Amino acid sequence: MLPAQKRRRMHRLRTWNHRSQTPDSKAKYRKQALGEIDRMGSALGLPKDVRETASDIFRQSHQTGIVVGRSIEAVAAAGLHIAAAIASLHRTLDEIAHVARVERTPIARTKRAINAEFNLALEPGQPSTFLERFGSELELQEKSIQKARKILDSASDEYLGSGASPVTIAASALYLGDRLTGGPSVTQKEVGDCCDIYDRVIQDHYPILEEFYKEVC
């Protein structure tokens, strides 16, 4: 059972939503949102089942009133980001924002609101989940990607949980893996551009990963 205060809040939001939208406008609103999810999902290479999960998240968010005061694009993009994480096909907020018709900040805010409403406790993607995709986009040799995986395996749990983003650690491991297998065939800037991070962040992190790797080799 929901607390009385939350039930009253949801009732007010539903009443406002019913009064402000005709059946035709509601249908149009949902159709537009689901179309956005399908468009963005296709652009990101996400499979149909992820897009369907994102559509379900949008429908539930619409029913509970989370969409009130938020753009269709922000709710659709946030739902897609969550659905990708549920399927362990993580996409960064920057990647989502790149294909969305809204900036990163409202997507992040809407995602937090949805997570709070439905008590979702989604873990961020591990660095290893990004290696294959970013390595492919950078056209790195398979041996460089496998070396990056070994580099991550050598890193301590304390470092991996130190607060650096999984994308930052993955990008740094890919750059180092490329160097250790005959590179560099890519520059820090090229890796940073691919992963939507500053190249100076890679400069800070790859020497740390190199020290961990040297200890086990």
Side-chain angles (χ1 to χ4, degrees):
M1 294 294 292
L2 293 172
Q5 183 179 6
K6 192 167 188 178
R7 289 202 305 272
R8 288 193 295 270
R9 173 178 170 268
M10 290 177 64
H11 178 72
R12 287 196 302 272
L13 290 170
R14 285 173 178 164
T15 300
W16 183 91
N17 204 36
H18 283 304
R19 289 175 179 173
S20 64
Q21 294 186 324
T22 65
D24 285 345
S25 66
K26 290 179 184 178
K28 184 178 179 180
Y29 183 90
R30 287 194 296 269
K31 183 178 180 180
Q32 182 179 346
L34 300 183
E36 277 294 287
I37 289 171
D38 194 56
R39 180 189 66 78
M40 291 186 292
S42 295
L44 291 166
L46 293 171
K48 183 178 179 181
D49 59 333
V50 172
R51 286 176 264 167
E52 289 175 348
T53 300
S55 298
D56 289 339
I57 292 170
F58 171 81
R59 292 187 188 97
Q60 293 178 46
S61 300
H62 188 262
Q63 290 172 0
T64 57
I66 297 174
V67 298
V68 176
R70 305 180 191 275
S71 71
I72 294 175
E73 292 81 4
V75 181
L80 192 62
H81 188 267
I82 293 169
I86 291 172
S88 297
L89 294 172
H90 298 270
R91 295 296 186 269
T92 67
L93 277 173
D94 288 322
E95 288 179 290
I96 297 287
H98 184 69
V99 299
R101 295 189 174 101
V102 65
E103 298 296 323
R104 185 185 192 279
T105 299
I107 298 173
R109 288 174 179 167
T110 305
K111 179 197 167 189
R112 287 195 295 270
I114 293 173
N115 284 343
E117 182 69 27
F118 299 114
N119 295 315
L120 300 176
L122 298 173
E123 295 293 328
Q126 296 300 310
S128 59
T129 64
F130 296 100
L131 290 183
E132 290 292 339
R133 183 156 55 86
F134 288 142
S136 177
E137 290 177 12
L138 288 164
E139 299 183 350
L140 293 178
Q141 296 183 47
E142 183 61 28
K143 64 179 181 179
S144 297
I145 299 173
Q146 291 306 315
K147 179 69 75 173
R149 197 172 298 280
K150 291 179 181 178
I151 290 166
L152 290 181
D153 289 341
S154 71
S156 71
D157 291 338
E158 183 179 1
Y159 168 71
L160 295 176
S162 63
S165 78
V167 171
T168 293
I169 297 174
S172 302
L174 284 169
Y175 177 73
L176 178 58
D178 180 54
R179 283 183 49 140
L180 295 179
T181 52
S185 59
V186 289
T187 65
Q188 290 179 26
K189 185 176 188 310
E190 287 171 331
V191 177
D193 288 344
C194 174
C195 301
D196 281 318
I197 60 174
Y198 292 112
D199 54 314
R200 65 172 178 267
V201 177
I202 298 172
Q203 178 66 39
D204 291 338
H205 281 271
Y206 93 79
I208 300 173
L209 289 171
E210 188 169 21
E211 288 301 315
F212 283 122
Y213 187 68
K214 286 179 179 178
E215 289 180 6
V216 300
C217 291

